[in-house]
Amino acid sequence: AKGSVPSGSGSRTPRLEQPLDVGLLSEFKERRLFRIVAAYVAGGWIVLSGIDQLVDREVLPSFVYRIGLVWYVGGFLAAVVIGWYHGEKGRQKATLNETALLAGVALAALVLSGSIVRSEFAPAGPVGLDALSSTEDPRRIAVLYFEDRSPGGELRFLADGLTESLINELSGVESLYVVSRNGVELFRDAAAQPDSIARALEVGTLVEGSVTQAGERLRVIVSMINGSTGGQFASQTLDRDRGEIFELQDALTEEVSLFLRERLGDEVLQLEARFETSNAEAWELAQRAYQVARDAGPLADAGDSEAASGKLLEADSILAAVEEMDPEWADPTAQRGWFAYRQSRLTGFDRNEYDRWLTVGMEHADAALAKNGSHPDALELRGTLQYWRYLLNLVSEPGESESLFEQAEADLRASILANPNQASAWTSLSHLLTNKEGTIAEAKLAALRSYEADPYLTNANLTVYRLFTTSLELEDLIEAPRWCETGAERFPDDHRFQECRLLLLVPPNQVPDLSGAWETLDEYVRLSPPEQREFNEAKGQMLIAIGLARASLPDSARGVAEGARVDSSVDPVREITFFDALVHQWIGDFDEAFRLLGLYLATNPGQMDAFAADESWWWQDLRQDPRWRNLVGSGG
């Protein structure tokens, strides 16, 4: 009949006459799509699991698994496409649509794989302290308003003033971030926990304090709180007579600031070391070594050089074990060199021991730089050891001495280039430049840079002393006394700041104040390390003799100078002889002055060029004598 469907083999009911979902399912079955995809999923998963096992056993790097996962997912999509177009029996030609789909899947997998590889081998992001979160970084500080615990709140003004002065003081320190007064005002009387305040202010260190009074005595207690944990990691108590309250506030601000910066420095140094090794056990062992080495300082100050040396040897042996645990970590190797340098300072004036320990130190410096050629501590170490060898005249030829001086300067400058805040390297460079012709002004600038670059005051006493000596060299009799008194106030137990008072007797164009000079000498000797006391007593007497010469008391000056002379066992580099020559220059005895200066230069031939180019006030009288040029030559 018209319109009937003819019967016959091969005829099928048109798809549109069946529900869409039933027809599509039948299509999948006919094309064997489920079987093809299931087979791929099972086989691909076996391969991916094998890659996972190899990654776990560190046969393959971890990123290979991530790439495998990308291709596994991409392969799933490709299996669906291939099953759809080629799942039926018989041959089927690849269509343009199929080719485009497979190409798109492959391209996407390649792009994702490339991204994984780039991220794996791209330069690492921030490491060290810069990688810390805001509440982990101890350099981010909030000084909370100090609590007034006096009866009736009568010390509220002092507590507030101390807080605000401390904020201002710390805010001026480069490298520290300090929350403003307005920022901490919100938490003046808050009952929140320290870690909650730290999170709100985004800081890693909180400073808390209290002020109390008992009679005429004030007590200030200050604590440092870890912003992440809320735990206290340092505290100090200061007791002072009330006296002039505003002067007291300034003094307390300075003392608290010093304490905070020094203690913060210890915390930062430990964190910096932690980022230089991935071996936690090595890091912990290194910290133990550094603590043992710190214990050597008080022993050396007390005059027990043998015990101090023993502590340094113990610390060195611990770091030797650390080097075996992490052979690529440069810091322990550099620190072993610094321990050797400290050992050299414990030897008194034994030139052979100096030479031995400086050689050991250089070996460690070179080994550390072989691991990390731009390690600032290792560069500073090598420069310091070279300069120390130069100062001790441990080389005999003038050319070799000059080369050593130049190498020391280059290494110290390289250390500063690697870390512009390497305060101790700035200080050593400043000292070196005082021994280089025409660079006294630069030497003072280097000392000022050290003072600014040292946020944790780890080297402040040496820096302040260098600011004094460079000011003295420049004949600045306003700045030199200021830095001397600053050092005496901040570091009352440091013998250098008694020495500087004696050195202030030396400059020309003044009438020196000799009152109290002998008492200053006694204090200078008392505060000196025991192994330096005999030398420093002779040096101090020579400085007083120069003061007497400046005061037009030549007979007294001659008598004191001749009584202060020592032999080479006490003064191997003839520094006392240098000052002895100055005394005789300024009492007009040029014959003796030239004899003594000749003895000094014979012991220190490397100084000959510096004397030939000298234009300083130290030798202005002898330079007028024809014998000067005969003695020092023309330089170069």
Side-chain angles (χ1 to χ4, degrees):
K2 187 179 178 180
S4 64
V5 178
S7 62
S9 61
S11 66
R12 291 187 295 171
T13 305
R15 295 178 192 138
L16 293 178
E17 295 179 5
Q18 301 180 40
L20 182 61
D21 56 346
V22 174
L24 188 60
L25 185 61
S26 298
E27 189 86 16
F28 284 169
K29 288 180 179 179
E30 284 187 31
R31 293 173 185 267
R32 297 178 295 173
L33 189 63
F34 292 121
R35 280 182 288 171
I36 291 172
V37 171
Y40 169 78
V41 168
W45 185 256
I46 291 171
V47 173
L48 194 63
S49 297
I51 293 174
D52 186 38
Q53 291 295 317
L54 292 174
V55 168
D56 283 345
R57 287 167 173 74
E58 298 183 349
V59 176
L60 295 174
S62 61
F63 72 89
V64 173
Y65 180 81
R66 299 199 300 275
I67 292 175
L69 190 60
V70 167
W71 283 96
Y72 178 62
V73 173
F76 176 84
L77 298 174
V80 171
V81 172
I82 292 171
W84 179 262
Y85 284 98
H86 299 281
E88 294 181 296
K89 293 180 180 179
R91 297 182 60 187
Q92 295 91 24
K93 292 182 64 176
T95 66
L96 184 61
N97 286 344
E98 178 191 359
T99 304
L101 287 170
L102 290 175
V105 170
L107 181 61
L110 284 171
V111 169
L112 286 172
S113 298
S115 176
I116 291 170
V117 172
R118 281 196 304 273
S119 65
E120 184 69 24
F121 294 102
V127 295
L129 294 179
D130 291 336
L132 295 172
S133 70
S134 58
T135 56
E136 292 174 324
D137 189 344
R139 300 169 301 176
R140 297 179 62 86
I141 301 171
V143 182
L144 302 181
Y145 271 91
F146 282 25
E147 182 183 355
D148 172 21
R149 294 182 180 173
S150 63
E154 63 182 43
L155 293 178
R156 176 68 175 264
F157 75 97
L158 178 60
D160 289 357
L162 182 57
T163 304
E164 292 164 8
S165 296
L166 195 54
I167 290 172
N168 290 336
E169 179 88 6
L170 295 175
S171 296
V173 180
E174 189 178 356
S175 302
L176 299 182
Y177 167 81
V178 183
V179 175
S180 69
R181 182 178 63 184
N182 291 336
V184 297
E185 177 75 36
L186 299 172
F187 298 91
R188 179 189 283 270
D189 299 310
Q193 292 298 311
D195 54 341
S196 299
I197 297 175
R199 283 195 299 273
L201 294 174
E202 298 185 335
V203 295
T205 302
L206 289 175
V207 178
E208 296 181 334
S210 64
V211 181
T212 58
Q213 181 171 348
E216 290 302 310
R217 297 282 289 177
L218 287 175
R219 169 167 290 184
V220 175
I221 302 174
V222 61
S223 303
M224 300 178 73
I225 310 296
N226 184 296
S228 295
T229 66
Q232 176 180 302
F233 65 89
S235 66
Q236 186 178 43
T237 300
L238 302 173
D239 288 304
R240 296 289 184 273
D241 290 326
R242 180 160 179 168
E244 293 293 328
I245 196 70
F246 295 111
E247 292 179 6
L248 177 64
Q249 178 180 311
D250 292 341
L252 287 172
T253 298
E254 184 173 357
E255 288 195 51
V256 172
S257 174
L258 290 174
F259 160 71
L260 292 175
R261 291 168 66 181
E262 289 169 355
R263 187 61 187 85
L264 191 63
D266 292 339
E267 194 77 5
V268 168
L269 288 174
Q270 288 190 35
L271 280 172
E272 286 177 337
R274 186 176 299 172
F275 286 106
E276 293 175 5
T277 179
S278 58
N279 188 321
E281 187 179 355
W283 181 84
E284 290 179 4
L285 196 58
Q287 300 316 302
R288 196 177 87 184
Y290 301 152
Q291 182 56 58
V292 171
R294 280 192 289 270
D295 293 341
L299 292 170
D301 293 341
D304 195 344
S305 297
E306 185 176 350
S309 177
K311 286 290 184 183
L312 291 173
L313 289 173
E314 180 185 352
D316 180 77
S317 66
I318 296 173
L319 288 186
V322 172
E323 286 179 315
E324 293 183 3
M325 296 168 69
D326 188 348
E328 300 303 314
W329 189 13
D331 192 65
T333 307
Q335 290 303 320
R336 292 185 71 190
W338 283 112
F339 293 166
Y341 169 72
R342 290 174 63 182
Q343 290 278 18
S344 76
R345 302 300 296 263
L346 296 172
T347 61
F349 292 96
D350 187 325
R351 293 173 66 87
N352 291 330
E353 283 297 290
Y354 271 133
D355 186 61
R356 179 170 78 90
W357 282 114
L358 294 181
T359 300
V360 171
M362 283 294 292
E363 290 171 355
H364 289 310
D366 290 338
L369 289 168
K371 299 176 184 181
N372 181 352
S374 60
H375 194 284
D377 285 351
L379 287 166
E380 181 189 351
L381 169 65
R382 191 169 68 180
T384 300
L385 294 172
Q386 290 165 333
Y387 183 47
W388 192 233
R389 186 178 288 277
Y390 165 84
L391 289 174
L392 292 170
N393 195 36
L394 294 178
V395 292
S396 55
E397 298 298 324
E400 187 180 358
S401 179
E402 181 180 350
S403 175
L404 201 60
F405 186 91
E406 291 172 353
Q407 291 167 14
E409 181 180 359
D411 277 335
L412 291 172
R413 291 190 185 277
S415 173
I416 291 163
L417 184 64
N419 176 19
N421 289 329
Q422 192 84 358
S424 51
W426 278 110
T427 299
S428 296
L429 179 63
S430 173
H431 190 287
L432 180 146
L433 292 172
T434 62
N435 286 295
K436 184 176 181 180
E437 185 62 29
T439 57
I440 295 300
E442 186 184 355
K444 184 171 182 179
L445 290 175
L448 286 168
R449 185 67 183 89
S450 173
Y451 199 61
E452 296 166 358
D454 191 0
Y456 313 120
L457 304 176
T458 53
N459 211 43
N461 60 330
L462 297 179
T463 302
V464 172
Y465 184 73
R466 196 67 55 232
L467 285 165
F468 160 75
T469 57
T470 51
S471 297
L472 186 68
E473 290 283 348
L474 293 169
E475 205 175 345
D476 187 340
L477 296 184
I478 296 176
E479 284 285 288
R482 183 175 75 83
W483 286 114
C484 182
E485 291 311 308
T486 295
E489 290 171 7
R490 287 184 54 184
F491 309 102
D493 296 328
D494 192 323
H495 67 283
R496 296 175 185 83
F497 300 107
Q498 300 300 321
E499 179 181 274
C500 70
R501 288 170 169 164
L502 296 174
L503 280 165
L504 286 171
L505 302 174
V506 175
N509 305 318
Q510 62 161 344
V511 178
D513 181 5
L514 290 163
S515 62
W518 292 102
E519 289 80 2
T520 299
L521 174 62
D522 291 341
E523 188 68 1
Y524 173 46
V525 174
R526 184 185 71 81
L527 293 174
S528 295
E531 67 275 10
Q532 295 181 25
R533 283 175 184 162
E534 186 176 1
F535 174 86
N536 284 353
E537 182 171 19
K539 182 177 181 180
Q541 288 174 349
M542 282 295 180
L543 294 176
I544 290 176
I546 293 175
L548 291 167
R550 289 294 197 198
S552 301
L553 297 169
D555 293 338
S556 298
R558 189 193 307 275
V560 171
E562 291 177 355
R565 290 173 178 172
V566 293
D567 61 29
S568 59
S569 65
V570 177
D571 181 25
V573 297
R574 297 293 186 180
E575 185 178 347
I576 304 301
T577 304
F578 173 95
F579 287 108
D580 199 354
L582 285 170
V583 174
H584 285 81
Q585 172 191 229
W586 285 324
I587 63 175
D589 187 349
F590 281 18
D591 291 342
E592 182 67 358
F594 274 113
R595 184 188 75 80
L596 292 167
L597 187 56
L599 179 59
Y600 172 78
L601 290 173
T603 308
N604 300 277
Q607 293 288 328
M608 196 73 75
D609 286 348
F611 270 80
D614 181 76
E615 295 180 356
S616 72
W617 54 266
W618 289 89
W619 300 103
Q620 59 189 10
D621 292 347
L622 283 192
R623 281 202 305 271
Q624 310 306 315
D625 192 296
R627 286 174 288 181
W628 175 268
R629 189 56 56 197
N630 293 334
L631 177 63
V632 304
S634 58

